[in-house]
Amino acid sequence: MTRPLVAILMGSDSDWPTFEAAAQALTEFGVAYDVHALSAHRTPGPLLRYVAQALRRGVQVFIAGAGGAAHLAGVIAAHTTAPVIGVPIETKLSGGLDSLLSTVQMPRGVPVATVAVGNGYNAALLAAQILALNNPGLRRKLAVFKQGLAAKVLKADRQLQAKRPNR
Ligand code: RP5
């Protein structure tokens, strides 16, 4: 079995819809990943055991997301030297502002690189970009991806120009 380079950890299996796009993106970029529901509050022991072993198993980047009192990414960051990307999960309270602040407001010395609320996809891209620093093949895939993004916007702009009245 391929050793995972990225660990996707979520506070509850109810967070999976946010991480499905992340898992899909990593698969498309050919990045092996692990995925687990492990909670900073409900399963602190198993979480810390996982984090302690992850680097030895080949994990280089953590993606972690929780909702509400979202301490998961911060607790992982406290226990590893690997980069941790935080994904605040959308909640009923202000659309996830609680999750965002709990994830992003880390004390000096323990950073969590936090993406937008609910944006598991961007977390996967950022993880791939970190791994690409030492992986030319992955760097090429990301460059092609970015060209695709640009091509899409330029096409949409051409269509917009064509539709514009009074030219
Ligand atoms: C958080 O509480 C989880 O990350 C999830 O976003 C939220 C609700 O969890 P469940 O009650 O659905 O398991 O810890």
Side-chain angles (χ1 to χ4, degrees):
M1 214 173 107
T2 321
R3 278 154 64 94
L5 295 174
V6 175
I8 301 177
L9 302 183
M10 63 200 85
S12 165
D13 63 335
S14 67
D15 299 327
W16 173 241
T18 300
F19 288 101
E20 213 168 351
Q24 215 169 341
L26 291 175
T27 302
E28 278 165 23
F29 283 109
V31 175
Y33 64 90
D34 228 9
V35 57
H36 290 283
L38 283 170
S39 161
H41 305 126
R42 292 166 173 163
T43 60
L47 171 65
L48 295 191
R49 279 197 290 283
Y50 179 89
V51 174
Q53 291 166 11
L55 267 61
R56 272 200 301 280
R57 293 180 48 242
V59 167
Q60 295 183 24
V61 184
F62 288 90
I63 293 175
H71 300 135
L72 181 62
V75 167
I76 294 168
H79 288 87
T80 184
T81 53
V84 179
I85 303 169
V87 184
I89 303 292
E90 198 171 333
T91 62
K92 286 182 186 140
L93 184 72
S94 320
L97 188 58
D98 47 352
S99 317
L100 173 63
L101 295 178
S102 310
T103 305
V104 78
Q105 289 288 58
M106 290 297 292
R108 188 180 164 101
V110 192
V112 167
T114 305
V115 297
V117 173
N119 205 332
Y121 183 76
N122 264 6
L125 280 183
L126 185 53
Q129 288 176 331
I130 292 168
L131 294 169
L133 290 169
N134 292 307
N135 182 335
L138 185 52
R139 214 153 51 226
R140 276 193 292 278
K141 285 184 198 169
L142 286 163
V144 169
F145 168 77
K146 279 202 177 286
Q147 284 161 8
L149 282 184
K152 222 184 266 180
V153 174
L154 293 174
K155 183 179 173 197
D157 183 56
R158 279 195 300 277
Q159 287 167 347
L160 184 69
Q161 298 309 317
K163 276 194 279 197
R164 218 180 78 175
N166 307 322
R167 300 192 76 208

